[in-house]
């Protein structure tokens, strides 16, 4: 049965029912004012040129920061980039279901809104590994030269993709996520794959590694944020890791699986926005900057 709600009360009742039916599980929430084909970070909607220059873009953005923001904690920089619109491999989520409901109703009034739920227990917190220089976290792609002995070959070598894995990060991910096999004794990527993915569908070494990469547990990025909107939205982030090689483009990226989805009837969006406002959840309290406060006041008295 599809989960459709038409009021804040129905929404909260459904959240309670979902938690109870899943052994009192806890969830993170994300609101979207319309349905998207898939949940993915903004970086992957910009094309290969943006991916290729991702680190340069962050460095240039950093150079333009005022002295006030230049003192940001190293592991909060990525969240700051996302906050100001720079494409990143982050997907913003919230601990607060009502914040997600607000964003599901605040725009695209002629379309149904959606709140996605993500089971907290499946996430692995990788915040301690993140710095302002972090792009891909788990592994990197390069090429290795493979000599070709085939007769009649125009060249005597081929370039084969080679994946370099960060086993310390990988070990931490699996050891801190529920529902996965212990990995403390895995010292090579081959041991990880045989433990986690004993029957891969792929055939070649690279294809098997890419298949393994795609199903790595979801990664949680939860920095200490000093800017207002991050605090008021109870924000934290899914870090959608990826494997990119400039000559090949995107080789693989992590899947982002939604555990439950609640649909918000488009005809009740304005009613829900008014109900949320009565609870103190509105553009002014969520965004917190002066521009958002001004927009909220204008809308209120329009």
């Amino acid at each position: 049965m599809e989960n459709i709600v038409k009021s804040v009360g129905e929404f909260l009742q459904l959240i309670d029912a979902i938690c109870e039916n899943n052994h009192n599980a806890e969830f993170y929430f994300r609101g979207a004012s319309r349905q998207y084909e898939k949940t993915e970070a903004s970086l992957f909607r910009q094309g290969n040129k943006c991916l290729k220059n991702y680190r340069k873009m962050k460095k240039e953005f950093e150079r333009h920061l005022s002295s006030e923001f230049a003192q940001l904690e190293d592991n909060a920089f990525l969240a700051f980039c996302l906050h100001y619109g720079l494409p990143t491999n982050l997907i913003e989520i919230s601990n607060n279901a009502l914040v997600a409901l607000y964003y599901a109703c605040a725009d695209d009034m002629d379309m149904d809104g959606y709140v996605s739920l993500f089971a907290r227990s499946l996430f692995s917190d990788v915040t301690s590994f993140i710095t302002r220089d972090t792009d891909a976290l788990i592994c990197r792609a390069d090429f290795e030269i493979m000599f070709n002995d085939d007769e009649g070959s125009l060249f005597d070598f081929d370039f084969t993709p080679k994946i370099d894995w960060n086993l310390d990060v990988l070990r931490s991910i699996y050891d801190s996520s529920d529902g996965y096999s212990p990995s403390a004794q895995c010292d090579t990527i081959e041991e990880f794959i045989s433990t986690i993915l004993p029957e891969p569908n792929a055939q070649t070494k690279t294809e098997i590694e890419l298949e393994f990469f795609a199903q790595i547990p979801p990664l949680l990025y939860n920095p200490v944020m000093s800017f207002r909107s991050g605090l008021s939205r109870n924000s934290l982030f899914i870090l959608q890791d990826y494997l990119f090689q400039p000559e090949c483009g995107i080789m693989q990226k992590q899947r982002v699986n939604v555990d439950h989805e609640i649909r918000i009837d488009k005809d009740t969006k304005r009613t829900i926005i008014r109900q949320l406002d009565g609870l103190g959840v509105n553009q002014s309290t969520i965004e917190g900057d002066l521009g958002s406060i001004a927009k909220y006041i204008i809308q209120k008295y329009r």
Side-chain angles (χ1 to χ4, degrees), residues 29-301:
F29 306 92
R30 176 175 172 80
S33 59
R34 59 190 177 92
Q35 190 170 42
Y36 292 90
E37 182 180 344
K38 54 188 173 182
T39 301
E40 68 175 8
S42 59
L43 181 63
F44 306 121
R45 299 193 293 268
Q46 309 297 319
N48 281 347
K49 187 174 181 180
C50 185
L51 275 161
K52 185 176 181 179
N53 293 291
Y54 181 34
R55 179 168 289 194
K56 292 180 181 178
M57 290 166 60
K58 290 188 295 179
K59 286 291 186 185
E60 186 167 341
F61 183 62
E62 185 179 1
R63 287 198 299 272
H64 285 81
L65 294 182
S66 66
S67 58
E68 176 187 359
F69 294 122
Q71 303 305 315
L72 277 171
E73 290 290 332
D74 235 21
N75 68 3
F77 180 69
L78 271 185
F80 192 77
C81 291
L82 176 70
H83 173 69
Y84 281 100
L86 204 71
T88 69
N89 59 326
L90 302 179
I91 300 171
E92 187 169 2
I93 53 179
S94 177
N95 284 305
N96 191 330
L98 294 182
V99 169
L101 179 61
Y102 171 83
Y103 283 111
C105 297
D107 204 354
D108 296 312
M109 308 310 281
D110 59 341
M111 300 181 184
D112 290 341
Y114 291 83
V115 173
S116 301
L117 281 67
F118 304 89
R120 294 189 187 196
S121 62
L122 298 180
F123 280 80
S124 176
D125 192 329
V126 294
T127 308
S128 63
F129 292 101
I130 305 300
T131 71
R132 61 185 62 207
D133 293 324
T134 299
D135 36 35
L137 180 67
I138 299 171
C139 55
R140 297 181 181 277
D142 204 344
F143 281 109
E144 62 180 354
I145 298 176
M146 303 294 290
F147 289 95
N148 190 346
D149 295 328
D150 294 343
E151 287 188 19
S153 175
L154 183 61
F155 302 104
D156 60 356
F157 57 85
D158 293 320
F159 290 103
T160 301
K162 180 180 183 297
I163 302 174
D164 293 321
W165 294 85
N166 188 329
L167 296 181
D168 289 336
V169 172
L170 200 57
R171 192 174 295 109
S172 175
I173 289 169
Y174 278 101
D175 288 346
S176 60
S177 298
D178 289 351
Y180 297 98
S181 303
S183 62
Q185 304 305 315
C186 295
D187 295 320
T188 65
I189 187 58
E190 289 77 17
E191 290 177 357
F192 270 103
I193 292 174
S194 64
T195 301
I196 308 299
L197 191 68
E199 296 181 2
N201 295 314
Q203 300 298 319
T204 69
K205 181 179 184 294
T206 299
E207 289 172 345
I208 291 172
E209 290 186 19
L210 292 177
E211 183 183 344
F212 170 75
F213 179 89
Q215 53 79 60
I216 287 173
L219 308 180
L220 183 70
Y221 168 55
N222 187 18
V224 176
M225 290 179 287
S226 56
F227 45 95
R228 173 77 182 272
S229 64
L231 296 170
S232 57
R233 291 200 296 254
N234 289 284
S235 292
L236 57 169
F237 307 88
I238 298 172
L239 182 80
Q240 189 177 12
D241 208 16
Y242 64 100
L243 191 56
F244 177 78
Q245 217 295 325
E247 286 74 14
C248 298
I250 280 280
M251 295 176 65
Q252 189 60 278
K253 59 188 172 186
Q254 274 188 290
R255 300 185 187 121
V256 179
N257 297 317
V258 174
D259 295 295
H260 299 276
E261 190 172 69
I262 299 174
R263 181 158 67 93
I264 317 300
D265 189 322
K266 63 180 183 295
D267 296 327
T268 62
K269 279 186 171 183
R270 287 184 173 84
T271 298
I272 291 174
I273 287 291
R274 287 194 295 271
Q275 293 173 346
L276 288 170
D277 191 19
L279 297 171
V281 180
N282 53 53
Q283 185 176 15
S284 172
T285 59
I286 290 176
E287 298 294 343
D289 62 278
L290 290 174
S292 296
I293 293 171
K295 289 177 183 177
Y296 167 74
I297 293 172
I298 292 168
Q299 187 65 34
K300 182 178 180 179
Y301 289 99

